[in-house]
Amino acid sequence: MASFIMAGRIQAAIFVVISTTVSLLIPPLIVFSNAAIALITLRKGWQQGVIYTILATVTLVILSVALKQQASSGIIAGLANWLPIVLIASALAMTKSWNKTFQLTLLVGVAGVLLFHLMYQDAEGYWKPILEQMKPLLQQSYQLENGKVDEIINEASSWMTGTFASALAVIAIISLIIARNWQARLYNPGGFGEEFRQIVIGKQFAIALLVGIAIAAITQNQIVIELVMVGVSIFMFQGLSLAHALVKQREMNAGWLVGLYILMFIMLIQMIVLLAAFAIIDSFVDFRKMTASTK
């Protein structure tokens, strides 16, 4: 894929358009159009990244209109998804630091949540009509009564801002990881693994997350809870980096990592929290250095 994208502008445009179109049918595949834009940004600069962001957004708008959706929905969804990709890919290209890139992603996620609440005073009221479009599906799939479905929608709407922001951050990081891996395979074989195993977001950010967790636990403030959700989701990647580093350092069987990802598939939320917890501890203890000295 990477070699096709980097073969020329026409090939890159074809890949972005096709991957964007396919992602409407299979949403998880959005990471490939994201990764393509991230790879272009890493190699060609943010200006080219913005050009392909516009191309992908126009594709999404055309498809939205064809599906009798509002064109504005395609514009908002496209820019909200791809502009952060360009931003963090540019940061990685300029700083050559995953740590700074993760810090920026965390700050952007926090800013996004706060900006959303400034724009929409009633966040639950914003999400409820969107979730209510799923009402017939819930009723048919789970044979639920109207009252029960309404209860689920009301509960889900209170968590949607944090969930959406966290999902965008996670998708952006996964996309950047794919893009950086593609770049390494083309231009620096083996370089990505060494980079990924060294990710440490930073002690100050770990302290801020701990303070946020404490405030959320005491006050139950919804906005603080949403900010914590974003922080935990991003610190999860440091936990994954730590796991890969320890397996490499201790020369352990790769099956340990396979088992870790299987557990994430089975118990995603619990594993995100567990990995983030280890990442916070690692910010103060430095497990990599500790295990290296005892090897």
Side-chain angles (χ1 to χ4, degrees), residues 6 12 15 26 46 60 70 110 123 127 175 178 220 267 272 286:
M6 300 309 299
F15 186 91
I26 311 173
W46 67 267
L60 197 57
Q70 291 185 349
V110 167
W127 292 111
S175 302
I178 293 172
Q220 294 295 305
M267 304 182 297
I272 287 175
D286 194 347

Side-chain angles (χ1 to χ4, degrees), residues 100 120 146 153 160 179 187 190 196 202 214 217 219 235 254 262 274-275:
K100 288 186 172 75
Y120 302 98
N146 277 336
I153 289 173
M160 273 302 296
Y187 308 106
F196 184 73
T219 66
F235 263 82
I262 290 174
L274 182 62
L275 287 167

Side-chain angles (χ1 to χ4, degrees), residues 156-228:
S157 62
S158 65
W159 294 98
M160 273 302 296
T161 303
T163 301
F164 186 72
S166 299
L168 280 181
V170 168
I171 290 170
I173 292 171
I174 291 174
S175 302
L176 184 57
I177 286 172
I178 293 172
R180 190 65 163 180
N181 187 39
W182 283 350
Q183 184 184 27
R185 287 176 180 272
L186 287 176
Y187 308 106
N188 182 27
F192 170 74
E194 188 60 34
E195 285 183 355
F196 184 73
R197 290 190 290 270
Q198 298 301 318
I199 293 171
V200 178
I201 297 173
K203 188 180 295 185
Q204 295 88 346
F205 286 83
I207 292 172
L209 181 53
L210 286 173
V211 170
I213 292 171
I215 293 173
I218 294 170
T219 66
Q220 294 295 305
N221 181 278
Q222 190 62 34
I223 296 178
V224 178
I225 292 173
E226 291 164 2
L227 297 178
V228 167

Side-chain angles (χ1 to χ4, degrees), residues 7-264:
R9 291 185 176 181
I10 294 176
Q11 291 91 329
I14 290 171
F15 186 91
V16 169
V17 169
I18 291 176
S19 57
T20 300
T21 303
V22 172
S23 69
L24 288 181
L25 300 174
I26 311 173
L29 296 186
I30 190 69
V31 296
F32 290 107
S33 64
N34 293 356
I37 291 173
L39 177 61
I40 292 165
T41 304
L42 288 170
R43 292 296 300 175
K44 304 292 186 179
W46 67 267
Q47 297 92 337
Q48 289 296 313
V50 170
I51 289 172
Y52 285 94
T53 291
I54 294 171
L55 175 62
T57 303
V58 169
T59 302
L60 197 57
V61 169
I62 293 171
L63 292 171
S64 297
V65 172
L67 295 171
K68 299 181 179 179
Q69 302 291 323
Q70 291 185 349
S72 58
S73 299
I75 295 172
I76 294 171
L79 295 180
N81 181 60
W82 288 303
L83 282 181
I85 298 286
V86 174
L87 177 62
I88 63 174
S90 299
L92 181 58
M94 288 187 291
T95 66
K96 305 292 190 292
S97 169
W98 274 104
N99 298 346
K100 288 186 172 75
T101 302
F102 271 91
Q103 291 168 5
L104 176 63
T105 307
L106 181 49
L107 292 174
V108 170
V110 167
V113 170
L114 296 177
L115 181 61
F116 183 86
H117 280 282
L118 283 175
M119 293 173 60
Y120 302 98
Q121 299 298 318
D122 181 13
E124 291 186 32
Y126 174 86
W127 292 111
K128 196 172 293 184
I130 297 173
L131 293 175
E132 282 178 347
Q133 296 177 22
M134 301 173 61
K135 196 170 183 178
L137 179 63
L138 289 171
Q139 288 174 324
Q140 293 174 8
S141 301
Y142 299 99
Q143 302 298 313
L144 298 174
E145 297 179 356
N146 277 336
K148 185 62 177 178
V149 173
D150 289 337
E151 184 181 330
I152 292 172
I153 289 173
N154 289 335
E155 179 68 19
S157 62
S158 65
W159 294 98
M160 273 302 296
T161 303
T163 301
F164 186 72
S166 299
L168 280 181
V170 168
I171 290 170
I173 292 171
I174 291 174
S175 302
L176 184 57
I177 286 172
I178 293 172
R180 190 65 163 180
N181 187 39
W182 283 350
Q183 184 184 27
R185 287 176 180 272
L186 287 176
Y187 308 106
N188 182 27
F192 170 74
E194 188 60 34
E195 285 183 355
F196 184 73
R197 290 190 290 270
Q198 298 301 318
I199 293 171
V200 178
I201 297 173
K203 188 180 295 185
Q204 295 88 346
F205 286 83
I207 292 172
L209 181 53
L210 286 173
V211 170
I213 292 171
I215 293 173
I218 294 170
T219 66
Q220 294 295 305
N221 181 278
Q222 190 62 34
I223 296 178
V224 178
I225 292 173
E226 291 164 2
L227 297 178
V228 167
M229 289 171 67
V230 173
V232 168
S233 298
I234 292 174
F235 263 82
M236 169 198 65
F237 287 97
Q238 181 178 330
L240 286 173
S241 168
L242 175 62
H244 279 261
L246 295 181
V247 167
K248 180 73 172 179
Q249 280 184 347
R250 307 304 294 182
E251 299 179 353
M252 299 165 65
N253 191 291
W256 287 98
L257 293 175
V258 174
L260 172 62
Y261 286 105
I262 290 174
L263 283 175
M264 289 189 70

